[in-house]
Amino acid sequence: MLDQRQIDIAAIHQATGIYTAVPEIEALLDQLGWPEQGRRLLDPGAGNGGFLVAALRRLDLDVDDVEEAARRVHGYEFYREAVADARRAVSAHLRERGWGSPAARRAANEIVEDHDFLLSPVPVGIWDVIAANPPYWRLANLPAGYRIDYEAVVAAHARADLLYAYLDRSADVVTRDGHIGLITADRWLLNSGSSELRRRLGTRYCVAGVRRLDAASTFYRPKARRKGTVARVHPVSLILTPTRSGRPLGAEPFRLAPSPAVDGVPLRDIAQIRLAPWLGPDGIFIVGPNSGLPAEHLVPVAEPADINAGTLRPPRKWALATDTTAPPPAILAHLDATLHRMPNRGRRPVRWLPPETFTGKLPLNHDAVLVPRIARRLTGIRLPAGRLPINHGLVVISGLPVARILAMLDDPHVQAQANDLALGIDNGYRSFTATLLRQLVIPRQHLPEHPAS
Ligand SMILES: C[S@@+](CC[C@H](N)C(=O)[O-])C[C@H]1O[C@@H](n2cnc3c(N)ncnc32)[C@H](O)[C@@H]1O
């Protein structure tokens, strides 16, 4: 028998359970810099576990390490069927990674907690990343029994909508230096009824990385639910950052288009933008100058440490270039002697293939531009043909003449967009992800057909 609280929760879930499509989840995790810039992540309204699985997928976990998986990623959900869905999704993901069923199940049970994020106590100061698509539903719509408890617990400035209560509680719960990544309706940024909430959040946070999203492609309803279009909301994705790198938030409405709209086209429409591959720790697929391995199987690499004052130093390391055909015995012997140091996430069924395959895609046979992901300002650096960029700290832009790409990145309108979109990290550094670069609108005078450039 369902008690009245379960019936109320089912009604709230029915109204608020609108799930996020994977590409938007991935883009939000990119913007949050998870996991490079995060230790522990919470989704406070986990639904069917989409955020949790995406966050786990990015972690280098040992097989069956339940404790570590549950320490790094956690989700709250109060609707039992959704809890079961999320646990199934987490468990299936871990089994795909080679975990045994009992460990996968235990981890899923610990990671997805059947718990009310608003009305029940939650630990404070242990999660430094909150990633959420919070429920939104007005106070007046809440089932009567739930509403009584809700009004008793939630502060007046956060009471008018479940969304406000979620934002307020997230700010209370996250660590002092933590980030909150949100996919939400834009109303709380603009409404007068949320001005006190904005003012309070603004004493701790700036807003970075605001992007308008398309409701039709961002959200979907759980399968078993009634058909129909998603609610008519104007969704945005943004990061609340405790650093000063974003735009200030205050009682006044937060308008979404701060800089004058740039007349141009997104960089993704005119150039190729890709993250440099990760090839594992040094000494396996990446070797020094005196490896003695056959030179025709080695490619000089470029990594973040090779960048000095805006230029690239001569290569100091080389990558083994292997493809699906078996490499010569010297390379196999080298790999057999070193592959035991490869973390699990880098292991491939074909042992001579690196964690992320690059042959056929990189290195490029023409010059391109490297963008360091972590930098004080968006900066491009010439990457000569034949040099392989490695490491997720680098993004490569290609497909246009280098001088043209460098001029685009230097344009003040492009710099301003990059600063608005980038998540601030400590000491004035920002994170310029591949997702961010793809969105930058390049003013027309830089476009290939424009004679002046
Ligand atoms: C908008 S959905 C988002 C789900 C998932 N994070 C996603 O984006 O795909 C919000 C979820 O929060 C849950 N929820 C609402 N209020 C809650 C509360 N007070 N405590 C825990 N979960 C809650 C709902 O049941 C729903 O599944």
Side-chain angles (χ1 to χ4, degrees), residues 47-364:
N48 63 350
F51 280 78
L52 302 178
V53 170
L56 285 165
R57 182 167 283 128
R58 293 174 174 221
L59 293 180
D60 183 14
L61 294 169
D62 284 334
V63 167
D64 291 354
D65 190 348
V66 175
E67 200 183 322
E68 178 66 1
R71 195 181 70 78
R72 301 292 302 276
V73 174
H74 197 75
Y76 291 127
E77 172 58 58
F78 71 173
Y79 181 54
R80 286 186 187 158
E81 286 182 31
V83 170
D85 287 344
R87 286 182 176 158
R88 264 194 299 275
V90 166
S91 173
H93 164 70
L94 294 173
R95 277 184 281 114
E96 268 166 31
R97 292 172 68 153
W99 286 42
S101 294
R105 229 187 350 261
R106 256 190 304 127
N109 286 344
E110 284 191 34
I111 289 170
V112 185
E113 192 175 341
D114 187 345
H115 195 80
D116 189 317
F117 179 62
L118 298 178
L119 303 191
S120 306
V122 292
V124 169
I126 64 167
W127 293 290
D128 61 343
V129 177
I130 290 186
N133 160 11
Y136 51 92
W137 215 26
R138 299 201 61 72
L139 172 69
N141 296 326
L142 289 180
Y146 191 89
R147 179 173 168 169
I148 291 170
D149 290 349
Y150 175 88
E151 287 190 279
V153 169
V154 178
H157 67 270
R159 207 176 279 159
D161 196 296
L162 287 182
L163 170 58
Y164 303 176
Y166 250 76
L167 296 175
D168 198 51
R169 188 121 169 107
S170 295
D172 284 345
V173 164
V174 74
T175 58
R176 295 301 299 178
D177 61 350
H179 288 89
I180 302 174
L182 296 167
I183 292 181
T184 67
D186 65 358
R187 293 289 108 194
W188 73 276
L189 294 166
L190 302 162
N191 283 351
S192 55
S194 42
S195 63
E196 178 58 13
L197 173 70
R198 281 196 301 273
R199 190 192 66 73
R200 287 177 185 240
L201 290 173
T203 60
R204 272 180 66 187
Y205 296 105
C206 288
V207 175
V210 188
R211 289 186 301 131
R212 277 206 179 280
L213 306 175
D214 174 3
S217 58
T218 301
F219 301 121
Y220 65 96
R221 286 193 180 274
K223 271 203 214 72
R225 299 273 307 281
R226 70 188 139 77
K227 292 263 186 314
T229 52
V230 291
R232 265 183 291 134
V233 297
H234 300 284
V236 290
S237 149
L238 57 84
I239 312 287
L240 295 177
T241 169
T243 63
R244 291 182 183 281
S245 66
R247 286 176 55 203
L249 182 66
E252 64 288 352
F254 183 95
R255 275 173 300 99
L256 282 161
S259 39
V262 176
D263 175 29
V265 296
L267 187 54
R268 64 169 169 267
D269 290 356
I270 48 173
Q272 281 89 50
I273 298 145
R274 59 192 125 195
L275 192 61
W278 174 72
L279 302 188
D282 283 3
I284 311 172
F285 286 95
I286 302 168
V287 295
N290 304 317
S291 68
L293 294 171
E296 66 277 16
H297 285 270
L298 296 176
V299 184
V301 302
E303 57 180 353
D306 291 333
I307 295 171
N308 182 26
T311 57
L312 201 55
R313 293 202 188 103
R316 296 173 302 170
K317 294 178 191 168
W318 281 258
L320 307 190
T322 51
D323 57 25
T324 46
T325 51
I331 298 224
L332 275 182
H334 163 81
L335 288 174
D336 286 338
T338 55
L339 265 173
H340 64 274
R341 293 199 295 106
M342 180 64 80
N344 282 319
R345 74 178 155 128
R347 298 194 178 197
R348 303 275 302 267
V350 178
R351 71 190 197 287
W352 61 79
L353 288 180
E356 294 172 7
T357 318
F358 59 89
T359 44
K361 295 179 262 175
L362 289 170
L364 298 163

Side-chain angles (χ1 to χ4, degrees), residues 387-430:
R387 188 119 175 231
L388 174 71
I390 56 165
N391 184 312
H392 288 178
L394 294 174
V395 183
V396 193
I397 308 178
S398 60
L400 291 170
V402 167
R404 194 187 288 262
I405 300 175
L406 293 176
M408 289 174 180
L409 298 182
D410 245 1
D411 186 296
H413 293 296
V414 175
Q415 288 282 329
Q417 293 174 64
N419 287 343
D420 275 350
L421 289 168
L423 177 62
I425 311 163
D426 295 338
N427 304 326
Y429 281 85
R430 296 167 192 270

